[in-house]
Amino acid sequence: MDRMDQFLLGKPKYDLNHPAIKTGFESIDSQTTFLRRGTLALLGSRPGMGKTTIALQIASNITDAGGTVLVFSLRQSVSQVSDRVYAFKRDLTSCSNFYTEDRVGNIDEMKLVMKDFRKPVDLILVDCIQDVYFISPKKHPVYSSPKVCTALKVMARHHNAAVLALTQISRAVEGRADHHPLLTDIPGWESIKQSVDSACLLSRGGYYEIEDEDTELPATLSFCPSTDKCCSVFMKWNHQANCLKDST
């Protein structure tokens, strides 16, 4: 009971120190708080499930609301990111506050980009943490998720922004009858969970079957924020438009 009282007393302070940033999806924002200033959030799924598209949709919604977004795209060029955004968002007038950097994979270079950025940022999107590296004293790239997550959380706090980092998950999910992802499917979860403030795992109906392009398929986002109960949000995946939609 004492622990519960401490949690209830501490939550308003946490909310004050880390204000929520809405994703722009009513299905998500009405049930949980995924993005907060000064915190690190992870979004994971198997390859090709749609996590990059969903992340870009959230980023676009934030710019629509007047926010500023910086995307570190380690797997796609600026033009490829723009094409993906244009696929679900024909009106690009609000994208003047949408910035993409596709030349940086070194975490120290990311810090320099942020240092030189001349305006406050609401969301920093990193796609994806498996491609972020450090340079060793011997000048070799070192890929270390624990070190990367720690650095990204420091970045979030320093710039008072939400950091959303995408991550692959292991093939373990494919061995389950329901294909339901678990936090332990995130590579190195036990070593990075202390740095992660919230996590979301995506599963999509039809991914392991033949998808009907004319049908909106179910999509499940399982959230586990640090200051809220875990929950699942049920949405729809529009296969034809290749984007996520509110279920309502």
Side-chain angles (χ1 to χ4, degrees):
M1 195 65 182
D2 290 341
R3 293 184 64 185
M4 180 58 72
D5 289 341
Q6 291 174 5
F7 171 78
L8 292 174
L9 288 172
K11 192 174 188 304
K13 183 178 179 181
Y14 185 89
D15 292 344
L16 182 63
N17 293 337
H18 303 285
I21 296 177
K22 292 186 179 299
T23 65
F25 287 106
E26 180 62 25
S27 298
I28 298 174
D29 296 330
S30 64
Q31 295 192 52
T32 188
T33 301
F34 180 46
L35 300 176
R36 290 183 179 274
R37 293 188 180 277
T39 68
L40 169 63
L42 294 186
L43 171 58
S45 77
R46 289 296 295 151
M49 183 96 44
K51 62 182 175 296
T52 298
T53 297
I54 292 172
L56 291 175
Q57 283 185 266
I58 291 172
S60 176
N61 290 342
I62 290 173
T63 61
D64 284 346
T68 299
V69 172
L70 174 60
V71 179
F72 287 103
S73 180
L74 284 67
R75 296 191 171 184
Q76 299 180 83
S77 67
V78 172
S79 61
Q80 288 175 314
V81 171
S82 298
D83 288 343
R84 295 191 70 162
V85 173
Y86 185 71
F88 59 79
K89 181 182 176 63
R90 296 298 181 179
D91 182 8
L92 299 180
T93 56
S94 65
C95 288
S96 58
N97 288 333
F98 192 111
Y99 301 87
T100 305
E101 173 57 72
D102 64 355
R103 300 166 297 175
V104 175
N106 180 349
I107 191 69
D108 291 321
E109 292 180 351
M110 288 184 179
K111 293 176 183 177
L112 290 176
V113 170
M114 293 305 306
K115 183 179 179 181
D116 293 338
F117 207 70
R118 299 300 181 186
K119 60 192 305 182
V121 179
D122 298 284
L123 176 69
I124 302 168
L125 174 58
V126 180
D127 185 12
C128 67
I129 60 172
Q130 278 79 26
D131 296 323
V132 182
Y133 61 90
F134 287 85
I135 298 297
S136 72
K138 294 184 178 182
K139 307 302 181 183
H140 298 305
V142 176
Y143 295 86
S144 170
S145 292
K147 199 171 180 181
V148 166
C149 286
T150 299
L152 291 177
K153 184 160 184 174
V154 171
M155 184 184 295
R157 289 178 173 175
H158 182 74
H159 295 281
N160 192 32
V163 173
L164 175 57
L166 307 191
T167 179
Q168 304 280 12
I169 63 174
S170 73
R171 297 180 65 93
V173 65
E174 296 173 356
R176 303 184 191 112
D178 61 358
H179 303 300
H180 184 72
L182 303 173
L183 289 174
T184 51
D185 295 331
I186 298 174
W189 173 249
E190 290 300 321
S191 61
I192 68 174
K193 64 182 181 181
Q194 296 301 321
S195 300
V196 176
D197 296 283
S198 57
C200 172
L201 298 174
L202 165 68
S203 56
R204 195 181 81 216
Y207 179 80
Y208 294 99
E209 305 166 3
I210 297 176
E211 296 184 323
D212 184 348
E213 294 188 3
D214 296 325
T215 304
E216 289 187 342
L217 300 166
T220 304
L221 296 167
S222 300
F223 292 91
C224 196
S226 59
T227 60
D228 207 350
K229 64 179 181 180
C230 297
C231 69
S232 292
V233 176
F234 302 99
M235 304 183 71
K236 293 180 179 179
W237 181 262
N238 187 315
H239 188 78
Q240 190 171 20
N242 195 37
C243 67
L244 194 71
K245 295 178 63 177
D246 275 311
S247 56
T248 55

